[in-house]
């Protein structure tokens, strides 16, 4: 009997022969793109006389979603391994404050950036070690650090904001524009390209997906799954810290309120974009589209006059629908 093996390039090897396998287009893999276009069309029609399609409003959506998109890129790797990180919003808040305090203390922009990113890396390291060394589920670990880090962000400044007067920092990390292009858009594009290449073109990306797809099989294949999980949590902490810098630069201050509730938006963007909540499947481009879609919906609802509570309910409904669709996709 001849052996039959599937290859990554869509071919099937039968004995010594390679046979091409026809790939069929499945529109369900691109549902988030169709949905995003539909949302744009809907709000463009219903809010055409209220400035929704104006250049200023569309750029404002990009600015508002940049931090969610960046944290979502790292969350894509975390969820692709079958884990979750609920602490990203608190990390962003604490990083904005530590960076602002470093700037206020006279360490300059480089010192402020280093302290802010270092804060995120430190919390990410703690999350990763508690998961990989002590075996505590990531949901419980990051739920605990969400509260701990959030409380620390309130305590270190007694809930007071820390102003940032460094004009260069504020320009580079949030409020600047290069011509008509917001610098937040540039950061998002650069990070998206790097994350996409990392997930699709490197052994680390393949091992990340393998870890989430079948951890036992990945381990037997020589993948150090514990190391992969530690690295993705380090990456999540780093990107949350970076998001904190962008919050601080955009608002010219560090605040403990930055990032509150962002973990919900980040997870929604990742799952809505096509990454499986159960691991093994991840898409960076889909995450960014999911983030933009959520930001567009929020923006449209604000223009329509809906309050924050109604936006939260709709966001929760989006997560339910996204997870339900993800489960259906897995069953296929």
């Amino acid at each position: 009997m001849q052996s039959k093996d599937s290859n990554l390039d869509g071919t099937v090897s039968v004995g010594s022969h390679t046979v091409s396998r026809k790939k069929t287009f499945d529109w369900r893999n691109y549902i988030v793109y169709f949905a995003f276009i539909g949302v744009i069309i809907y709000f463009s029609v219903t809010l055409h006389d209220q400035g929704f399609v104006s250049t200023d409003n569309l750029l404002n959506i990009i600015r508002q979603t940049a931090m969610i998109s960046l944290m979502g890129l790292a969350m894509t790797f975390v969820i692709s391994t079958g884990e979750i990180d609920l602490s990203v919003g608190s990390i962003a808040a604490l990083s904005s404050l530590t960076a602002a305090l470093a700037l206020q203390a006279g360490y300059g922009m480089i010192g402020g950036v280093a302290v802010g990113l270092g804060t995120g890396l430190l919390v990410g390291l703690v999350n990763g070690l508690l998961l990989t060394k002590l075996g505590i589920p990531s949901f419980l670990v990051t739920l605990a650090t969400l509260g701990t880090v959030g409380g620390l962000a309130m305590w270190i400044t007694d809930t007071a904001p820390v102003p940032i007067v460094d004009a260069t920092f504020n320009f580079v990390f949030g409020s600047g524009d290069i011509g008509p292009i917001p610098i937040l858009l540039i950061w998002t594009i650069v990070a998206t390209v790097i994350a996409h290449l990392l997930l699709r073109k490197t052994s680390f990306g393949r091992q990340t997906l393998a870890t989430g797809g079948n951890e036992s099989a990945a381990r037997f294949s020589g993948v150090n799954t514990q190391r992969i999980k530690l690295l993705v949590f380090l990456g999540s902490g780093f990107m949350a810290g970076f998001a904190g810098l962008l919050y601080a630069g955009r608002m010219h201050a560090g605040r403990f309120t930055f990032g509150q509730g962002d973990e919900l938006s980040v997870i929604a963007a990742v799952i809505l974009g096509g990454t499986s909540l159960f691991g093994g499947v991840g898409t960076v481009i889909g995450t960014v589209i999911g983030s933009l879609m959520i930001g567009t919906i929020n923006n449209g609802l604000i223009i329509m006059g809906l309050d924050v509570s109604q936006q939260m309910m709709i966001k929760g409904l989006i997560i339910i629908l996204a997870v339900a669709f993800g489960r259906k996709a897995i069953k296929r």
Side-chain angles (χ1 to χ4, degrees):
M1 182 179 293
Q2 290 179 311
S3 63
K4 180 178 178 180
D5 300 300
S6 295
N7 302 322
L8 294 176
D9 60 358
T11 63
V12 177
S13 298
V14 182
S16 60
H17 303 283
T18 300
V19 181
S20 296
R21 179 172 58 192
K22 186 177 180 180
K23 294 182 179 180
T24 58
F25 176 81
D26 189 348
W27 66 269
R28 287 169 294 191
N29 293 330
Y30 303 93
I31 187 68
V32 66
Y33 303 98
F34 297 135
F36 181 51
I37 294 172
V39 167
I40 291 290
I41 293 174
Y42 172 76
F43 284 126
S44 297
V45 172
T46 58
L47 302 174
H48 68 281
D49 59 344
Q50 298 184 51
F52 175 79
V53 294
S54 67
T55 301
D56 288 342
N57 186 59
L58 295 178
L59 290 177
N60 190 44
I61 292 174
I62 292 173
R63 292 187 182 97
Q64 291 173 341
T65 59
M67 283 68 82
I68 301 298
S69 296
L70 290 170
M71 287 187 283
L73 295 177
M75 187 71 78
T76 300
F77 286 81
V78 173
I79 293 180
S80 291
T81 64
E83 305 295 343
I84 199 164
D85 188 352
L86 300 176
S87 64
V88 290
S90 294
I91 294 174
L94 183 60
S95 295
S96 76
L97 285 166
T98 55
L101 289 170
L103 287 165
Q104 194 178 73
Y107 290 102
M109 188 176 78
I110 295 177
V113 171
V115 170
L117 294 179
T119 300
L121 280 171
L122 180 60
V123 180
L125 178 63
V126 171
N127 286 337
L129 290 176
L130 289 174
L131 168 67
T132 59
K133 300 303 182 182
L134 297 184
I136 305 174
S138 58
F139 178 85
L140 297 178
V141 168
T142 58
L143 182 63
T145 51
L146 181 155
T148 304
V149 173
L152 181 60
M154 297 175 66
W155 177 70
I156 61 174
T157 61
D158 196 23
T159 72
V162 181
I164 298 175
V165 297
D166 189 313
T168 303
F169 177 91
N170 292 331
F171 179 90
V172 173
F173 291 99
S175 60
D177 295 315
I178 299 180
I181 303 174
I183 202 158
L184 288 173
L185 175 58
I186 296 174
W187 281 121
T188 302
I189 292 173
V190 170
T192 300
V193 171
I194 294 173
H196 178 73
L197 294 175
L198 190 61
L199 185 64
R200 296 299 175 191
K201 302 297 182 181
T202 68
S203 60
F204 173 75
R206 291 188 290 271
Q207 290 175 6
T208 296
L209 296 175
T211 298
N214 189 323
E215 185 173 352
S216 297
R219 199 161 47 240
F220 283 124
S221 299
V223 177
N224 188 338
T225 57
Q226 298 295 83
R227 173 178 170 272
I228 292 296
K229 290 184 178 184
L230 178 60
L231 288 176
V232 297
F233 273 95
L234 279 171
S236 183
F238 177 86
M239 290 304 289
F242 187 67
L245 297 181
L246 297 184
Y247 271 125
R250 186 174 182 224
M251 304 304 295
H252 298 188
R255 298 176 184 269
F256 78 93
T257 55
F258 290 158
Q260 285 186 349
D262 276 3
E263 57 280 344
L264 184 64
S265 297
V266 171
I267 293 169
V270 173
I271 303 304
L272 192 63
T275 296
S276 171
L277 185 60
F278 312 99
V281 178
T283 165
V284 165
I285 304 300
T287 292
V288 176
I289 297 299
S291 172
L292 288 172
M293 186 167 130
I294 292 174
T296 301
I297 292 173
N298 285 341
N299 181 268
L301 295 178
I302 290 172
I303 295 176
M304 292 174 69
L306 274 69
D307 59 27
V308 175
S309 61
Q310 293 169 310
Q311 295 174 44
M312 291 176 64
M313 289 188 291
I314 292 175
K315 194 181 300 181
L317 179 61
I318 289 172
I319 294 177
I320 293 173
L321 293 174
V323 173
F325 180 81
R327 287 185 66 89
K328 187 175 181 180
I330 287 176
K331 291 178 180 179
R332 299 202 311 269

